[in-house]
Amino acid sequence: MRTIVDVVVVGAGQAGLSSAHHLARAGIAHVVLDHAPRPGGAWQFRWPSLTYGKVHGMHALPGMELTGADPLRPSSEVISEYFAAYEDRFGLRVRRPVDVTAVRDGADGRLLVESGSGTWSARALINATGTWDRPFWPRYPGQEAFRGRQLHTANYPGPAEFAGARVIVVGGGTSAVQHLLEVSEVSAESTWVTRRPPVFRDGGFGEAEGRAAVALVEDRVRRGLPPQSVVSVTGLPLNEAVRGALASGVLARLPVFDRLTATGATWADGRRVEADAILWATGFRPAVDHLAPLRLREPGGGIRLDGTRAVRDERVHLVGYGPSASTIGANRAGGAAVREIHRLLTRAPAGTAADVSAAIGAGA
């Protein structure tokens, strides 16, 4: 069965809901497809010990603030409830669970968005699939021989399951630090390894610093390179807990091992660390495999964007990709994408486009 619509939004996290809100305000017929079983985007899958108070800022969706949240509640509960309330308040009828398998060229300049639940024929696409579904697992010699448990941030269950265990945490980002702070309190031994020495950021991080960091990520996207995370260019924030962990040695970092063995890890200089579990806090990659039939990737491996628009196909916008991966960035990018899509759909004179832009801006 094929359904005709102007715009398909794939994903119902922050980026997808923001985009849907702006589409509704602009009066553009659209459908939102989400593979998750319930509202909440990737937040619904976060580990229970990641409470709302530990989240590094959650910018409100356009038109509705998140207020009165208990900082001690799991962020998965707080934000999922907020997203559900947002969908209800603005009548965003998200279709779920729908797994989009491919987006390809259709007839008359349309896109065909294919899934196990049907096919949608659209004039434009907003891809807001984020990264959670593509955890990155690096490969090291001997990895298959390790007899302990290996898991990724994507299926981290919280610290309780590591009680009394010897744990190696791999990765230099915020998630790795959060895991170490938790696991070290219950494990027999924790070891932190990273490819590069971690850089900790002391002092404030204001609007100017944020713009500079986003600009660095945006530059890569404009050059068609795979986007880096914003934290990779900002450094790791220092707070009281992190300072304590640095002083106690919990965050004493080792360079990444050369190989894994059946019982742990070894380095070329003869160092050995025995381990019962390896926690790969090695990040995620953009979940864009379903866009492969459109051949959007550049030789550098990324999708080159002009704003949110794919340079190789003006019908496709990526929101929550690269510089718009933050919650505030996703909001702004959603509005920007809808303004461009309106111009694409109508090829309208400037006055009409300006009217729609004003309507979108009023809901930001």
Side-chain angles (χ1 to χ4, degrees), residues 5-8 23 26-30 109-110 122-125 314-315 317 337-348:
V5 68
D6 282 338
V7 181
V8 171
L23 286 167
I28 298 174
H30 65 281
R110 286 181 166 268
R123 298 173 67 190
L125 175 87
E314 67 175 348
R315 300 168 297 177
H317 287 256
V338 172
R339 284 189 286 271
E340 285 217 24
I341 285 173
H342 174 264
R343 287 191 284 268
L344 171 70
L345 297 182
T346 62
R347 301 296 187 188

Side-chain angles (χ1 to χ4, degrees), residues 146-221:
F146 180 67
R147 293 199 298 260
R149 185 180 183 187
Q150 296 189 57
L151 66 164
H152 192 276
T153 291
N155 55 353
Y156 171 65
E161 292 193 25
F162 300 96
R166 299 164 298 177
V167 184
I168 297 175
V169 178
V170 185
T174 304
S175 293
V177 172
Q178 291 176 343
H179 297 335
L180 280 157
L181 293 181
E182 294 185 346
V183 168
S184 64
E185 294 184 355
V186 299
S187 63
E189 181 181 328
S190 63
T191 303
W192 186 23
V193 302
T194 69
R195 286 191 300 122
R196 292 182 294 272
V199 176
F200 290 92
R201 184 188 73 243
D202 200 359
F205 189 77
E207 186 175 342
E209 291 83 2
R211 283 198 303 267
V214 169
L216 290 173
V217 179
E218 189 172 21
D219 177 66
R220 286 182 60 86
V221 171

Side-chain angles (χ1 to χ4, degrees), residues 33-38 94-100 115-117:
L33 310 177
D34 188 36
H35 84 107
R38 56 190 178 274
V94 179
R95 301 194 183 199
R96 57 169 63 91
V98 176
D99 290 309
V100 172
S115 79
S117 304

